[in-house]
Each structure stands twice: as structure tokens, then as C-alpha cells.
Amino acid sequence: MIVDAHHHLWHLGGGYDWLDAPELAPIRRTFGPGDLRAELAAAGVTHTVLVEGGRCDADEAALLLGHARETPEIAGVVAWDDPAAPVFPAYRDLPGAEHLVGLRAQVQAEDTGYLDRADVRAGLRRIGAAGLVFDLVIRADQLPAAARVAAALPDVRFVLDHLGKPRIRAGGLAPWRAALAGLAALPNVAAKLSGLVTEADWEHWKPQDLQPYAEQALELFGPARLMFGSDWPVCRLAAPYGRVLAVADELITPLTSPAERAQVFGGTAAEVYRLGVGGAGVESPRRDPWH
């Protein structure tokens, strides 16, 4: 079993205005469950977590939960919600609601003080009390605020998306690592080894460009709090699905224990998101995912 803990699906024209940026033309089309299942079958991935894609409304939550209901591979959904004014209780009445495992807001679009706000923290408490994870999609300069809120809310489970979006193209390793260390020190925080290829140079990146960031994540979180995510189809801007999976396998080479590698490629996601998929059969991806 291999779990992809982070991917998206969207319908072009359905409110995803961010796709209008000229540089995003390669992914400016509809990606549905059929497209996903083809990628998973080719790569040998068995389960996934479907994450909101920036539409930021309750209608998308209904759509994603419906996809999960009809797609066996989708084991969990992280839907959109606004922590300052939560609407997630209404999601419990939607078809496919049993697949709701977490919530996410586009915090990366907010200022660095957003997570310190009293109304936001109150909403996050409600999310945690409901047994849901809150995914943190944040910029590197928001990592200190994320550490403050995670420390203040120890009963809420947080998952850091894309390792906090380090500025790989600009060589921003040192400041990112210092900020990440504070967040990683908190036991209620896990992280996704995801989104790195699109933080690097899309045309010319090499695995060696990503390696220092992966090594820091392994050191700070360990395999028990680190999980693989493809960030498909966004990753297609820099690499196809199979390539992202293969490079992730290469990036965790320092883990020599099969059990630790299996944790990153499935066990952590299954445990943190409470996916209800067996952990005993979790395995590392095959080395050549194109066959």
C-alpha cells in the first residue's frame, strides 16, 4: 500500500481563478477522477488524500466528497473551510461525508499575523474538537506563526503542506530551516514531503536541488511525522506523477529501514488522517514507476 497524501481535482471554469495565470497554462484544464486513477495505476499508488484546490467555497467540498464516495482510491478529503467563520458542520450532511478527514484554508494568501487572530484560533479549536486535521498551506515566512498556534492548541492536529514552501529557486535553505525547526518541535504537527518540484526551477531542477530540504525534514520530523504527497496535477508544471514519486523515493534514501520508508509512503498519512486503511501492508514505491 502506498498513500499519496496530497493531490487535487478541479473542473475548469468552476471558480479556480488562480489557474488564469499565464504560467499555469499547462494545467489549465479539468482533472477528474478518471485522470487520477490512470496516474495511480501507472505508479502503483493505492490510496490518496484529496485536498481542496483553491476554490474556497462549500460547493467544492460537496464536489470533492462526492468524488471520494465514487472513487475507491480516495481514502480521505481535506476540504476548504474558513477558521474565522467555520462552516464544516454542514459538510456532515453531504454524500461522502464519511471521507472528510481534514480542513484547509488558503493561509498563504493572508498576512503573517493571521494565525495569531483570536477568531481564527477559536475556529481551529472547533476543527480539532471535531476530530479533524487542519492542513497548513503557508509561506516560509508564516512558519513562526504556525509554530505559535500549534503550541497554543496542542489538542489540534496540524499537517504542514509542501514543507512550508521553501524558496528553493532562491536558495532559501537557512532561514527556512530555522523557522521550520520551531514548528517541527511540536508533537501535534506532521508534514508533507510534497510540492518541492514547483518551488524549484520548473525547467531545470535536479533531485540534488531538493535533497537538502528533504534531509532537513527527515531530521526535524522523522519518518513517523512525514508523509509523501504528489501535489498532482500542480506538479505537472515541473514533473509528471511518476517522476515525482520516484524522486521522493530517492530523497528519503537516508532511511535504510524498510519500516521507516513505508511510514513515509503510507503509514504516517494513514495514522494522522485516520484513513481507515491498513498499515501492515504499507510499502515503498517500486523503483521504476513507469513500468
Side-chain angles (χ1 to χ4, degrees):
M1 182 184 77
I2 301 173
V3 178
D4 177 351
H6 195 105
H7 73 88
H8 309 284
L9 297 173
W10 58 67
H11 188 277
L12 192 63
Y16 299 95
D17 295 341
W18 62 274
L19 285 170
D20 292 340
E23 65 272 19
L24 301 183
I27 59 171
R28 194 182 304 127
R29 70 170 180 83
T30 295
F31 289 92
D35 302 297
L36 172 70
R37 298 189 78 184
E39 297 283 5
L40 300 181
V45 174
T46 53
H47 300 286
T48 74
V49 176
L50 172 57
V51 180
E52 68 90 23
R55 179 169 158 177
C56 299
D57 61 30
D59 288 341
E60 186 198 37
L63 180 65
L64 300 186
L65 291 170
H67 286 328
R69 187 186 190 195
E70 299 168 1
T71 309
E73 293 85 349
I74 300 175
V77 171
V78 174
W80 171 84
D81 202 357
D82 178 1
V87 297
F88 72 87
Y91 297 168
R92 299 295 193 185
D93 297 325
L94 296 173
E98 66 275 13
H99 296 286
L100 184 67
V101 297
L103 298 168
R104 188 174 88 154
Q106 289 291 317
V107 180
Q108 63 184 341
E110 305 289 347
D111 60 46
T112 55
Y114 175 80
L115 292 170
D116 293 312
R117 285 170 38 182
D119 57 344
V120 171
R121 291 192 175 191
L124 292 173
R125 287 190 187 92
R126 289 185 63 193
I127 290 166
L132 298 171
V133 173
F134 188 76
D135 267 34
L136 291 162
V137 56
I138 57 176
R139 308 182 307 267
D141 65 325
Q142 294 172 311
L143 285 166
R148 291 192 297 271
V149 73
L153 304 175
D155 294 330
V156 181
R157 288 171 292 142
F158 293 93
V159 172
L160 177 65
D161 294 347
H162 314 326
L163 297 184
K165 308 190 79 169
R167 300 179 62 194
I168 298 175
R169 271 168 293 194
L173 179 63
W176 164 81
R177 186 204 184 282
L180 184 70
L183 183 61
L186 300 165
N188 56 325
V189 181
K192 293 180 184 177
L193 187 64
S194 64
L196 298 185
V197 294
T198 47
E199 294 302 322
D201 185 316
W202 295 356
E203 299 291 332
H204 305 293
W205 70 272
K206 306 179 296 297
Q208 297 93 308
D209 300 331
L210 315 182
Q211 189 69 52
Y213 299 89
E215 287 177 354
Q216 294 301 319
L218 283 170
E219 176 186 333
L220 293 170
F221 285 97
R225 291 192 293 133
L226 193 65
M227 63 188 86
F228 163 73
S230 68
D231 198 28
W232 179 90
V234 179
C235 69
R236 289 165 56 101
L237 295 166
Y241 193 105
R243 176 64 174 156
V244 171
L245 179 63
V247 169
D249 191 35
E250 182 178 341
L251 292 176
I252 67 165
T253 296
L255 297 178
T256 57
S257 162
E260 289 182 329
R261 296 174 68 82
Q263 191 71 26
V264 174
F265 280 107
T268 299
E271 293 163 11
V272 171
Y273 285 114
R274 301 172 182 170
L275 297 180
V277 295
V282 175
E283 60 188 32
S284 297
R286 52 181 180 260
R287 285 288 180 170
D288 187 354
W290 291 280
H291 291 296

